[in-house]
Amino acid sequence: MSQQPAPAARYRTRPTVVEAIRFDGTRASVLNVMHFVDLGRGTTEIRVHVNDEPAESFIEIPNSGGRLSVDAGDWLTRDAKGRLARYSNTTFTASYEPLPGDEE
């Protein structure tokens, strides 16, 4: 007696809520990102590379896998466990939407 293979089931990703901030390359944005990253972490190793042209600015943040490089236009997220991740604007806006009442 041969067994029939189980039919494939459909799955979707579970909803994940993250805190996020977008780095736009300006000096004000640098301060906002630094504050966002430092919440509860006591990080003092953030490297800031600000250029007169904001689009050429970036920030390097220490992370468990080395250094996280955030370019102008990127989003930085923090999940419920405090882990930081970087997303391009295209990937972030395709993957996340604002919670009701948190729209910019």
Side-chain angles (χ1 to χ4, degrees), residues 21 23 59 61 63 67-78 83-92 96:
I21 189 167
F23 174 55
I59 298 174
I61 303 164
N63 206 7
R67 299 194 76 74
L68 192 63
S69 184
V70 182
D71 296 321
D74 288 347
W75 288 84
L76 186 62
T77 64
R78 181 177 39 244
R83 295 177 295 217
L84 297 174
R86 181 208 61 86
Y87 293 92
S88 69
N89 186 52
T90 303
T91 301
F92 181 83
Y96 292 95

Side-chain angles (χ1 to χ4, degrees), residues 5-103:
R10 294 176 12 164
Y11 291 83
R12 66 177 175 200
T13 58
R14 293 184 174 125
T16 302
V17 176
V18 297
E19 293 178 284
I21 189 167
R22 188 168 186 204
F23 174 55
D24 67 10
T26 62
R27 294 179 194 283
S29 183
V30 167
L31 294 175
N32 291 335
V33 168
M34 290 176 72
H35 178 72
F36 178 82
V37 168
D38 200 42
L39 288 177
R41 296 183 70 204
T43 301
T44 58
E45 302 175 24
I46 298 171
R47 295 182 186 164
V48 179
H49 304 272
V50 178
N51 195 302
D52 289 336
E53 179 59 44
E56 297 175 9
S57 298
F58 65 96
I59 298 174
E60 292 179 331
I61 303 164
N63 206 7
S64 59
R67 299 194 76 74
L68 192 63
S69 184
V70 182
D71 296 321
D74 288 347
W75 288 84
L76 186 62
T77 64
R78 181 177 39 244
D79 68 13
K81 293 184 179 181
R83 295 177 295 217
L84 297 174
R86 181 208 61 86
Y87 293 92
S88 69
N89 186 52
T90 303
T91 301
F92 181 83
T93 55
S95 302
Y96 292 95
E97 62 185 3
L99 290 174
D102 281 353
E103 294 89 3

